[in-house]
Amino acid sequence: MPTTLTKQIEQYIADKRAVEVDALEKECDKEKAKITSAEDADIFDANLAAKVAKLEFDFTVTHWVDSAANRAEKISMATHAIKFSHSAAKGSSVWAENLGSNPRYVDILSIDNPAVDAVGPVDKIYVARLLQLKDDTGKSLLAYLQEDSIEPLSSLSKTPEQLQQWHYGLKQALQSTAPSSHTLAKQVYFPVAQGEYHLLAPMYSSSFSQALYSEINPSSFSQEMKAGRDAKKANMPCKSLLVRTPISPSPSGVALTH
C-alpha cells in the first residue's frame, strides 16, 4: 500500500538524520575539548547553533526529498551496469525494459522482479536507497515511478507543483537523456553488409546473475538442503527435493535427486 511506503520514506529520512546527529555530537565533543576561554566557548556555541539549525532544515521531509529529486539525475538505476564491464568505464548503464524478448532464450525479461543496481557517485547513492524502499506488498518507489505514479510521496509534499517536481526529478534515475558507450566498455563490430558494421556494446547483467545466485545458493547452503543431504547419507526418507550441483556441469545445469 502507498501509505506504508510513505511511512518507510519518513523513517528512512529520520534514520539518515540520526546518523548525522550522531556525527555532529562526536564532532562537538572533540571541539569542546579544545575550548580554553570564554571567547572560545561563545564561538563554539554560535557554530553549534548554526550547524544544528542547518541539520534540522536539511532533514525536513520536503527539503530532503527536494534535494534527492535534484540529485537523481546523477545516478542510474540499471539491470545492466557498465561498471561491471570495467570499473573505470564512464558510459551509460541500461535499464532493460520494453526491449523485446525471444521465448527461445532465458534473459533478463524472463525474470518477474529483477534485482536493480545503482550506478553513480557514492555520495548520491542515498537516492537509490530511497527508490528501492518498498511497501508492505513488496512494491518499491521505483516501481511506482515506472507506472508514472508518485502516490507514496503525495502526502509529504506541500503543493501539487512540488509533487510534480519530485516526480520529474526522481524519474531521471530511470533514464539516460544522452546514452553513450566508452572506450573501456566491451565492443564488438557486427557485420551487416559488405564493409558495413554495427558497433555493439555487450553489457553484463548483474540482475540476471543475482537471479541465478538466488536459485543456486540455497541449493548449496540452505537448512532444507542440509537436512536433505543428511537424510540421504543416513538412508532416511525426506520430504524435500534435494538439489545437487554437479562438479562437471550437465546440460541442464543441475542434477535432481529425491
Side-chain angles (χ1 to χ4, degrees):
M1 296 290 290
T3 52
T4 59
L5 181 50
T6 301
K7 292 178 181 178
Q8 289 284 338
I9 293 168
E10 291 177 309
Q11 186 60 53
Y12 178 66
I13 297 172
D15 291 343
K16 298 289 287 184
R17 177 187 176 280
V19 171
E20 293 298 320
V21 168
D22 184 59
L24 179 59
E25 288 177 348
K26 291 179 179 178
E27 178 187 340
C28 288
D29 289 340
K30 292 180 181 179
E31 293 297 324
K32 191 180 293 185
K34 299 177 183 178
I35 295 176
T36 58
S37 66
E39 183 180 357
D40 289 343
D42 290 340
I43 293 173
F44 171 82
D45 290 340
N47 289 338
L48 176 59
K51 290 177 181 178
V52 169
K54 184 178 185 305
L55 189 149
E56 292 299 328
F57 176 73
D58 288 346
F59 283 91
T60 56
V61 173
T62 52
H63 181 77
W64 193 93
V65 181
D66 276 342
S67 177
N70 289 334
R71 289 168 169 76
E73 65 178 359
K74 301 295 184 182
I75 64 168
S76 297
M77 305 303 293
T79 55
H80 296 67
I82 195 169
K83 292 289 186 181
F84 295 124
S85 297
H86 193 290
S87 60
K90 297 180 180 179
S92 302
S93 296
V94 175
W95 176 280
E97 62 174 350
N98 301 324
L99 298 180
S101 183
N102 191 317
R104 293 182 300 172
Y105 303 106
V106 178
D107 57 21
I108 185 65
L109 296 180
S110 305
I111 306 170
D112 290 332
N113 296 297
V116 181
D117 279 301
V119 181
V122 174
D123 62 343
K124 305 295 189 299
I125 293 299
Y126 72 91
V127 182
R129 301 288 182 264
L130 170 69
L131 296 174
Q132 291 170 330
L133 294 176
K134 298 178 180 179
D135 63 18
D136 55 352
T137 67
K139 187 175 181 179
S140 66
L141 179 57
L142 190 66
Y144 278 96
L145 290 173
Q146 284 181 285
E147 298 173 355
D148 273 330
S149 170
I150 197 139
E151 190 177 353
L153 290 170
S154 60
S155 64
L156 303 178
S157 63
K158 291 182 177 179
T159 65
E161 291 75 20
Q162 184 179 47
L163 184 62
Q164 288 304 312
Q165 289 174 356
W166 290 353
H167 190 185
Y168 173 80
L170 292 173
K171 283 199 71 173
Q172 300 307 301
L174 308 183
Q175 56 199 22
S176 176
T177 55
S180 63
S181 187
H182 191 263
T183 54
L184 295 177
K186 296 181 183 298
Q187 298 179 344
V188 176
Y189 285 90
F190 188 85
V192 294
Q194 184 64 33
E196 296 182 11
Y197 300 86
H198 280 165
L199 181 59
L200 307 180
M203 298 186 72
Y204 173 83
S205 174
S206 56
S207 297
F208 192 76
S209 292
Q210 179 63 39
L212 291 176
Y213 173 83
S214 297
E215 291 293 327
I216 294 173
N217 193 58
S219 71
S220 299
F221 303 109
S222 70
Q223 292 299 315
E224 183 181 16
M225 289 300 105
K226 182 179 183 301
R229 288 192 295 270
D230 291 344
K232 183 179 180 182
K233 289 179 182 179
N235 199 28
M236 298 292 291
C238 181
K239 293 182 179 180
S240 62
L241 182 68
L242 180 62
V243 181
R244 178 174 60 85
T245 304
I247 297 177
S248 299
S250 65
S252 63
V254 295
L256 303 181
T257 58
H258 290 279

